[in-house]
Amino acid sequence: MSTTPVIEVERLNLTYGDFHAVKDLSFEVRPGELYALLGTNGAGKTSTLEVVEGHRRPTSGTVRVFGRSPDDRRAVRPRMGVMLQESGFSPDLTVRESVGLVGRLTRRTDDVDRVLDLVDLTGRARRKVSQLSGGEKRRLDFATAVYGTPELIFLDEPTTGLDIQSRDAVWATVDRLRENGATIVLTTHYLEEAQQRADRIGLMHEGAFHREGTVSELTRTLPAVIRFSLPASAPTLPVRAAVDADGKAVVETFELQRDLHLLLGWAQDHSVELRDLAAGPTRLDDVFRAINS
Ligand SMILES: Nc1ncnc2c1ncn2[C@@H]1O[C@H](COP(=O)(O)OP(=O)(O)OP(=O)(O)O)[C@@H](O)[C@H]1O
């Protein structure tokens, strides 16, 4: 597989009037990667993706997709599928007509029935877009990204509004596309999905990266937490602990296994019950919460 980046963004700046929305942002997305562009509201994710997708010109900086400018639409557009937050299909078209339209607009070929089946809309093919439920509309949006099995797929909050079965189905389809070598760029506010699936994450805040790296590179910047309640008579703990608002002991540690082992051994030796014991690795949510702290 080629190692030339599918997307290269170098010192991208984007301003709206005198508002600087994207500030000197650089990143690349490699072939076959699932790259999640995450961030706080208004961080600049959509603005960045609009430039990469060729919908918006940068104020300065360079963007390359498959080694070309996104402005080179004839070369780039057929190779990328885009699921926007709202596709804006005409409400009067049927689902089948809408999916067929995607082929004409993107100049990709596919079998409309195959795509309808893939996004589980075969039973709704004759319905007008205006009659679809929110989740069905979202699945129709997903069809725009997967029609013609493009090499690069942008998924902008793909599972928002979907029930759990539809979410699982979307991810199963994405997994199949990835097995065939597709590169995926994801934005989502469901951090769990990014934590489970992203190879790398660019975490944006106020127009720039707060952090960039794999999930473990991001989470290892913060300590894991062990929490429990102690009886008043308990002897001194073997590790340093704070007390939270609920009166629980809180141990913050970069050595979760070692400190948990120490604590459990201590509890056993002193016949102390660590009530409501909870311990877990640092989560992406924690990295997010730490942005403003
Ligand atoms: N057309 C526009 N004109 C002026 N300001 C804009 C425009 N589009 C976006 N902005 C501003 O630029 C900033 C970045 O917006 P953007 O939509 O890229 O953020 P985002 O990271 O996608 O946010 P969210 O997670 O809330 O969808 C925001 O402060 C937004 O208000």
Side-chain angles (χ1 to χ4, degrees), residues 16 19 21 39-48 56 85 157 189:
Y16 297 107
F19 179 69
T40 46
N41 285 137
K45 304 176 293 287
T46 304
S47 303
T48 301
R56 198 180 279 285
Q85 279 184 28
E157 302 195 20
H189 287 291

Side-chain angles (χ1 to χ4, degrees), residues 214-249:
T214 62
V215 171
S216 74
E217 282 166 350
L218 262 57
T219 52
R220 87 165 71 111
T221 58
L222 289 176
V225 175
I226 309 171
R227 270 198 175 81
F228 49 91
S229 300
L230 279 175
S233 58
T236 313
L237 284 165
V239 290
R240 227 176 45 187
V243 179
D244 73 8
D246 300 330
K248 281 190 177 175

Side-chain angles (χ1 to χ4, degrees), residues 260-270:
L260 200 51
H261 186 76
L262 261 174
L263 261 174
L264 292 173
W266 169 89
Q268 175 87 10
D269 292 348
H270 293 87

Side-chain angles (χ1 to χ4, degrees), residues 22-282:
V22 180
K23 300 169 188 162
D24 253 347
L25 192 74
S26 299
F27 66 98
E28 53 180 50
V29 180
R30 302 163 196 153
E33 252 191 331
L34 193 155
Y35 188 96
L37 195 60
L38 307 180
T40 46
N41 285 137
K45 304 176 293 287
T46 304
S47 303
T48 301
L49 290 185
E50 282 175 354
V51 175
V52 176
E53 291 160 1
H55 299 310
R56 198 180 279 285
R57 287 260 167 84
T59 306
S60 69
T62 321
V63 175
R64 299 258 155 218
V65 181
F66 299 115
R68 292 167 180 271
S69 160
D71 285 346
D72 190 352
R73 292 182 74 79
R74 286 184 84 83
V76 174
R77 196 67 188 89
R79 299 176 72 182
M80 68 188 199
V82 181
M83 178 182 185
L84 297 171
Q85 279 184 28
E86 289 222 354
S87 296
F89 283 114
S90 165
D92 293 330
L93 290 183
T94 65
V95 169
R96 174 182 291 283
E97 286 166 343
S98 304
V99 173
L101 190 62
V102 177
R104 291 204 287 287
L105 291 175
T106 59
R107 298 204 192 88
R108 289 197 293 273
T109 49
D110 207 326
D111 174 19
V112 170
D113 287 317
R114 184 197 84 88
V115 177
L116 286 170
D117 182 49
L118 199 65
V119 300
D120 198 20
L121 284 175
T122 305
R124 300 284 184 272
R126 290 159 188 261
R127 261 199 210 166
K128 291 206 164 143
V129 171
S130 59
Q131 294 165 338
L132 295 180
S133 74
E136 288 165 347
K137 277 203 187 102
R138 208 62 199 122
R139 299 213 298 271
L140 180 57
D141 295 337
F142 186 49
T144 62
V146 299
Y147 191 101
T149 320
E151 297 155 74
L152 170 61
I153 299 176
F154 293 91
L155 300 174
D156 195 350
E157 302 195 20
T159 54
T160 301
L162 294 188
D163 63 28
I164 190 70
Q165 283 88 353
S166 300
R167 271 185 205 202
D168 290 348
V170 162
W171 287 118
T173 304
V174 171
D175 288 344
R176 277 208 297 284
L177 290 160
R178 294 194 68 198
E179 280 160 20
N180 290 323
T183 304
I184 313 283
V185 178
L186 166 74
T187 68
T188 182
H189 287 291
Y190 295 124
L191 301 181
E192 186 87 17
E193 292 185 342
Q195 172 137 6
Q196 281 170 13
R197 295 169 192 281
D199 296 307
R200 286 188 308 132
I201 290 171
L203 178 53
M204 288 186 75
H205 181 55
E206 294 180 351
F209 278 146
H210 174 70
R211 299 216 187 291
E212 196 201 20
T214 62
V215 171
S216 74
E217 282 166 350
L218 262 57
T219 52
R220 87 165 71 111
T221 58
L222 289 176
V225 175
I226 309 171
R227 270 198 175 81
F228 49 91
S229 300
L230 279 175
S233 58
T236 313
L237 284 165
V239 290
R240 227 176 45 187
V243 179
D244 73 8
D246 300 330
K248 281 190 177 175
V250 180
V251 177
E252 290 193 336
T253 175
F254 286 98
E255 297 282 353
L256 179 60
Q257 189 171 336
R258 185 200 66 190
D259 285 353
L260 200 51
H261 186 76
L262 261 174
L263 261 174
L264 292 173
W266 169 89
Q268 175 87 10
D269 292 348
H270 293 87
S271 303
V272 171
E273 186 193 358
L274 302 176
R275 285 195 309 274
D276 303 322
L277 173 66
T282 314

